[in-house]
C-alpha cells in the first residue's frame, strides 16, 4: 500500500504515532525522471502506434516503453513547432504567456521565469539537459547542460556548454546518447533523485542518416499515404497557399541528397563529414544519384520517388534514435535503476509523412497536432496500457512535479496526467484543447491560426492577412479533407464550438487583441 505522508501530516496525524508505519520510517523514494524527446518524430513512424510503416521500419526499443508502460494516443501540442513546444514543456504555459511564440524572428527564451527543472532542482533533484535546446538563451535550472547550437548538425556537431562551444567527432544521436549515459552514471552515485532531459536532434530535416544506418532502408518501398496527391479542393486558402509540399518545396539536393553539383553541399552540414564518413556516405548515395538522374522522372512519378527517398532517410535517422532509447533502457536495467525511474519518450511535435502531400508540421491537422507520448513507470503504470484521454504537452511539467512530490504552481496552465497514468482519469478531465500557431510570414508559409478541438471536431481561425474559419468533422472525415464551416447542417455545431473557443481563450488568457500585439510591424 502506498501512503501519502504529506496527507497524514495535513490532516493532523503524526506519522510517529502510527505503529504500522514504524517498519517504513522513511519517505517513499522519489522517482528519477528521464524525458527523452526527439525532434519531428511522427507517431506514424513508431511501431507501437501501429500503422502501415510498423513492420517495414519498426522501433523495437521505443516500443519497449509502450510494452512496459503506457501508450498515450491523444497527446496534443499547443503550437506545433520546435522552440515554442520546448518553452511550453519547461513552463507549463501557452506561448503567449511564456513569451516564446515562434522560431523565426523570435527573441531568446526568458530563462529567468519559472520552469519545472528549476522547481525540481530546488526540491533536491540533480538536473541535466543534453541535446537540442533551440531556445537561444542558455538553459537555466540545470546542474549540467550541454546543448547543440540552434538546430545542430548531424555529423561532427558543435556543442555548447557553460565553458563555450566546441566540436565533437561522431554522429549526433550517438554523441547525445553517450553524454546522457555518462551523466546518468554520475547522477547515480550522487544519492539524489535525478531528472534528465535527453533531446535528440534527429529526425529533423535534412534527415541525414548515421554511419550505422546508411543502408538500412535503401531498398525498401514504403506504402504511400492516401492523401499524397491532395489538391486541397475541400479546404481553404491557407492550405492552398502553404509552401511545404513534397512536390514543390522538398529539394532534390539539400533534402533528398541527390547532389548533381557537390559544391552545393557547402554549409549544409554534410560538408562537416571527415573523409572516412564521406566515403561511406558516397558509397551509398552515389549509385542512388546516378540512377535518379538517369531515370528522368516527372509529375506524379517524381513525387512518388521523392516520398520514398524522404522516408528512407527519415526512418533511418529514427532507427538511430530507437537504438539510443534501447541503450538508456539497458543502462537503467544493468544499474538497478529501472524500478525507480520514470522514462518518457516524446517528440516536440508530430510531422507529416506525405499526408496532404506534405512534410513538416505547424498545422492543427492530426499529423502535426498530435505527438507521440509513451511512458513507463514501474509499479505505477500498468504494463501495456493504452490511453485515449486528451492530454497535452502543456501537462508535462505539472506531471513531472507531481511525480517528484513537488507542489504545482497555480499559474501553470496544464494538468498533471499522473491520475491518467494510474488508470484513474478524473471525470472532469479535459474534453477540449486550445491551439495557437504564430510563425507567419515564415518558412513554409503556414498562416497564423488558433482554434480548438473536441474529440470529434476542430474549429480553426486563420488570421493576419486572411480571415477564414474552418471546421472539420473527424468522425465523417478522419483525413481532414473537407472544411464544413459553411455547411448549414453544421450550424449548431459551429455555434457551440465558437462559444467553447471563446471560453478556452478566456481560460488561457489569450485573445485576438493579444494575438495582434504579436504581429510584425
Ligand atoms: Ca520539431
Amino acid at each position: 500500500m502506498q501512503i501519502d505522508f504529506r496527507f497524514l501530516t495535513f490532516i493532523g496525524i503524526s506519522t510517529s504515532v502510527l505503529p504500522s508505519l514504524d517498519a517504513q520510517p522513511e519517505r517513499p523514494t522519489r522517482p528519477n525522471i528521464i524525458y527523452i524527446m526527439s525532434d519531428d518524430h511522427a507517431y506514424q513512424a513508431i511501431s507501437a502506434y501501429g500503422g502501415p510503416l510498423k513492420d517495414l521500419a519498426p522501433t523495437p526499443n521505443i516500443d519497449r516503453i509502450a510494452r512496459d508502460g503506457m501508450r498515450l494516443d491523444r497527446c496534443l501540442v499547443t503550437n506545433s513547432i520546435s522552440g515554442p513546444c520546448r518553452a511550453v514543456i519547461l513552463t507549463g504555459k501557452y506561448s503567449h504567456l511564456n513569451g516564446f511564440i515562434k522560431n523565426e524572428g523570435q527573441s531568446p527564451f526568458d530563462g529567468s521565469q519559472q520552469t519545472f527543472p528549476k522547481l525540481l532542482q530546488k526540491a533536491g533533484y540533480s538536473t541535466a539537459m543534453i541535446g537540442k535546446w533551440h531556445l537561444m538563451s542558455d538553459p537555466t535550472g540545470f546542474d549540467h547542460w550541454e546543448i547543440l547550437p540552434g538546430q545542430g548538425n548531424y555529423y561532427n556537431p558543435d556543442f555548447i556548454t557553460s565553458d563555450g562551444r566546441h566540436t565533437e567527432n561522431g554522429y549526433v544521436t550517438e554523441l547525445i546518447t553517450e553524454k546522457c549515459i555518462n551523466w546518468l552514471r554520475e547522477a547515480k552515485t550522487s544519492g539524489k533523485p535525478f531528472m534528465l532531459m535527453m533531446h535528440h536532434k534527429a529526425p529533423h530535416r535534412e534527415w541525414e542518416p548515421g554511419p550505422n544506418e546508411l543502408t538500412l532502408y535503401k531498398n525498401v518501398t514504403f506504402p504511400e499515404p492516401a492523401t499524397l496527391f491532395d489538391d486541397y479542393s475541400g479546404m481553404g486558402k491557407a492550405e492552398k497557399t502553404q509552401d511545404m509540399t513534397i512536390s514543390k518545396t522538398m529539394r532534390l539536393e539539400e533534402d533528398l541528397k541527390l547532389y548533381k553539383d557537390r559544391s552545393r553541399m557547402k554549409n549544409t552540414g554534410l560538408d562537416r563529414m571527415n573523409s572516412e564518413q564521406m566515403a561511406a556516405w558516397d558509397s551509398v548515395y552515389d549509385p542512388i544519384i546516378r540512377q535518379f538522374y538517369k531515370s528522368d522522372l516527372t509529375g506524379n512519378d517524381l513525387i512518388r520517388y521523392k516520398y520514398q527517398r524522404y522516408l528512407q532517410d527519415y526512418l533511418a535517422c529514427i532507427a538511430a534514435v530507437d537504438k539510443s532509447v534501447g541503450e538508456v533502457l539497458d543502462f537503467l536495467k544493468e544499474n538497478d535503476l529501472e524500478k525507480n525511474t520514470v522514462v518518457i519518450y516524446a517528440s516536440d511535435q508530430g510531422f507529416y509523412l506525405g499526408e496532404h502531400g506534405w512534410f513538416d508540421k505547424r498545422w492543427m491537422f492530426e499529423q502535426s497536432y498530435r505527438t507521440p507520448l509513451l511512458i513507463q513507470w514501474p509499479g505505477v503504470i500498468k504494463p501495456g496500457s493504452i490511453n485515449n484521454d486528451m492530454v497535452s504537452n502543456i501537462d508535462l511539467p505539472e506531471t513531472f512535479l507531481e511525480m517528484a512530490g513537488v507542489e504545482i504552481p497555480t499559474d501553470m496552465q496544464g494538468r498533471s496526467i499522473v491520475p491518467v497514468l494510474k488508470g484513474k482519469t478524473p471525470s472532469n478531465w479535459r474534453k477540449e484543447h486550445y491551439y495557437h500557431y504564430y510563425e507567419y510570414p515564415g518558412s513554409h508559409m503556414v498562416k497564423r491560426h488558433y482554434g480548438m478541438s473536441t474529440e470529434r471536431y476542430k474549429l480553426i481561425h486563420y488570421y493576419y492577412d486572411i480571415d477564414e474559419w474552418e471546421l472539420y468533422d473527424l468522425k465523417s472525415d478522419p483525413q481532414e479533407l473537407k472544411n464544413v464551416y459553411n455547411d448549414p447542417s453544421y450550424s449548431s455545431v459551429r455555434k457551440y464550438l465558437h462559444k467553447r473557443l471563446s471560453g478556452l481563450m478566456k481560460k488561457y488568457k489569450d485573445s485576438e487583441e493579444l494575438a495582434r500585439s504579436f504581429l510584425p510591424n
Side-chain angles (χ1 to χ4, degrees):
M1 187 177 79
Q2 289 204 334
I3 296 153
D4 190 329
F5 289 82
R6 289 163 303 162
F7 178 68
L8 292 179
T9 311
F10 175 72
I11 59 171
I13 300 171
S14 162
T15 51
S16 62
V17 301
L18 293 172
S20 63
L21 295 176
D22 285 353
Q24 203 187 14
E26 284 177 18
R27 236 188 116 174
T29 317
R30 295 180 290 173
N32 307 306
I33 299 167
I34 301 181
Y35 178 67
I36 308 173
M37 184 166 77
S38 52
D39 192 348
D40 294 353
H41 191 172
Y43 59 85
Q44 309 92 297
I46 292 179
S47 41
Y49 278 99
L53 301 178
K54 81 173 167 36
D55 297 322
L56 292 167
T59 51
N61 290 298
I62 296 171
D63 293 3
R64 280 162 70 182
I65 303 177
R67 183 195 67 197
D68 296 340
M70 181 179 279
R71 185 188 93 194
L72 294 108
D73 285 2
R74 197 95 199 119
C75 182
L76 307 173
V77 298
T78 61
N79 179 1
S80 183
I81 188 163
S82 176
C85 286
R86 292 156 203 270
V88 163
I89 290 164
L90 290 170
T91 61
K93 290 177 185 163
Y94 271 88
S95 306
H96 59 278
L97 296 188
N98 70 47
F100 205 93
I101 63 166
K102 53 190 166 58
N103 288 338
E104 295 170 3
Q106 168 69 43
S107 51
F109 176 69
D110 171 14
S112 71
Q113 67 185 299
Q114 169 184 281
T115 63
F116 90 83
K118 284 186 191 172
L119 296 170
L120 288 186
Q121 194 182 38
K122 212 162 114 190
Y125 269 69
S126 289
T127 58
M129 161 65 224
I130 296 170
K132 181 171 169 181
W133 174 248
H134 210 199
L135 290 169
M136 298 190 274
S137 52
D138 285 350
T140 55
F142 298 98
D143 302 322
H144 174 81
W145 56 269
E146 200 162 353
I147 59 171
L148 300 168
Q151 297 283 10
N153 286 110
Y154 278 104
Y155 278 87
N156 307 333
D158 284 0
F159 282 91
I160 302 173
T161 68
S162 51
D163 294 330
R165 185 165 168 159
H166 67 280
T167 306
E168 294 199 23
N169 289 322
Y171 184 65
V172 71
T173 305
E174 292 165 8
L175 291 170
I176 289 170
T177 310
E178 192 185 312
K179 286 175 189 303
C180 286
I181 289 188
N182 286 341
W183 186 80
L184 289 172
R185 201 168 274 128
E186 265 177 49
K188 186 195 159 194
T189 61
S190 74
K192 290 161 81 175
F194 59 78
M195 188 282 293
L196 166 66
M197 300 185 90
M198 175 179 187
H199 289 193
H200 281 298
K201 168 192 169 53
H204 192 277
R205 194 185 187 192
E206 285 83 9
W207 321 296
E208 295 164 17
N212 295 310
E213 291 82 26
L214 279 174
T215 58
L216 196 56
Y217 299 122
K218 289 297 170 279
N219 297 311
V220 180
T221 303
F222 297 100
E224 290 169 7
T227 58
L228 183 61
F229 299 101
D230 192 359
D231 61 3
Y232 320 111
S233 56
M235 304 171 98
K237 201 174 189 174
E239 293 81 11
K240 292 183 179 97
T241 56
Q242 45 65 38
D243 179 22
M244 54 183 273
T245 58
I246 290 177
S247 138
K248 290 197 180 74
T249 315
M250 192 177 273
R251 304 159 299 179
L252 291 176
E253 293 193 322
E254 296 91 333
D255 291 321
L256 301 179
K257 296 91 181 177
L258 299 165
Y259 281 99
K260 207 173 187 176
D261 179 355
R262 283 186 78 102
S263 69
R264 285 203 280 268
M265 261 193 193
K266 216 172 164 136
N267 302 321
T268 62
L270 286 178
D271 58 346
R272 298 176 71 92
M273 289 186 186
N274 60 36
S275 54
E276 194 190 337
Q277 291 163 335
M278 192 51 111
W281 181 275
D282 285 342
S283 72
V284 176
Y285 285 86
D286 277 353
I288 294 174
I289 293 170
R290 275 198 301 273
Q291 202 183 2
F292 171 72
Y293 287 105
K294 222 164 49 186
S295 65
D296 206 19
L297 297 170
T298 54
N300 284 358
D301 288 341
L302 180 59
I303 295 173
R304 290 200 159 96
Y305 177 88
K306 287 171 87 176
Y307 166 77
Q308 295 296 338
R309 204 56 295 292
Y310 161 41
L311 255 67
Q312 287 166 356
D313 286 349
Y314 176 84
L315 294 167
C317 291
I318 287 168
V321 171
D322 185 67
K323 194 173 146 208
S324 159
V325 171
E327 284 173 31
V328 171
L329 295 175
D330 290 346
F331 176 85
L332 296 177
K333 202 168 192 171
E334 286 153 16
N335 288 272
D336 206 21
L337 289 165
E338 194 182 30
K339 281 203 177 73
N340 198 37
T341 303
V342 185
V343 182
I344 299 104
Y345 184 82
S347 172
D348 55 348
Q349 19 58 212
F351 211 65
Y352 294 90
L353 302 183
E355 299 88 356
H356 298 288
W358 292 335
F359 64 102
D360 213 70
K361 52 257 176 177
R362 302 163 198 273
W363 304 92
M364 219 184 136
F365 299 117
E366 287 298 279
Q367 291 79 11
S368 51
Y369 184 39
R370 256 184 79 186
T371 194
L373 182 63
L374 305 141
I375 307 182
Q376 72 175 49
W377 188 1
V380 177
I381 297 177
K382 191 171 157 232
S385 345
I386 294 172
N387 178 279
N388 263 309
D389 294 314
M390 195 183 264
V391 303
S392 175
N393 60 350
I394 204 168
D395 298 332
L396 291 173
E398 290 180 45
T399 303
F400 299 151
L401 292 172
E402 184 173 355
M403 284 171 172
V406 177
E407 195 183 335
I408 296 170
T410 53
D411 60 353
M412 285 190 172
Q413 296 181 304
R415 188 168 178 183
S416 165
I417 66 166
V418 167
V420 173
L421 300 177
K422 288 178 173 170
K424 293 176 184 155
T425 304
S427 58
N428 63 353
W429 191 255
R430 172 192 296 118
K431 299 276 189 289
E432 297 161 348
H433 184 260
Y434 180 63
Y435 184 85
H436 200 151
Y437 170 81
Y438 300 85
E439 192 171 284
Y440 180 91
S443 293
H444 299 299
M445 298 304 273
V446 174
K447 292 191 189 291
R448 293 184 184 220
H449 59 286
Y450 62 87
M452 60 88 71
S453 66
T454 65
E455 192 188 345
R456 178 167 176 183
Y457 300 107
K458 277 182 199 165
L459 177 67
I460 309 170
H461 185 211
Y462 295 94
Y463 68 98
Y464 178 73
D465 58 350
I466 186 176
D467 179 15
E468 278 189 15
W469 288 88
E470 294 184 9
L471 171 60
Y472 292 88
D473 180 348
L474 273 73
K475 197 174 168 192
S476 63
D477 177 28
Q479 293 181 324
E480 299 171 300
L481 298 169
K482 195 172 163 41
N483 168 25
V484 293
Y485 188 79
N486 293 314
D487 181 336
S489 62
Y490 283 90
S491 64
S492 61
V493 170
R494 190 174 68 212
K495 201 171 155 194
Y496 171 79
L497 294 175
H498 268 291
K499 199 174 142 203
R500 302 303 299 178
L501 174 60
S502 301
L504 286 173
M505 290 183 90
K506 204 168 164 191
K507 176 180 173 186
Y508 294 119
K509 301 184 167 64
D510 199 3
S511 65
E512 296 228 5
E513 291 70 34
L514 187 60
R516 273 197 288 276
S517 76
F518 295 126
L519 299 181
N521 293 321

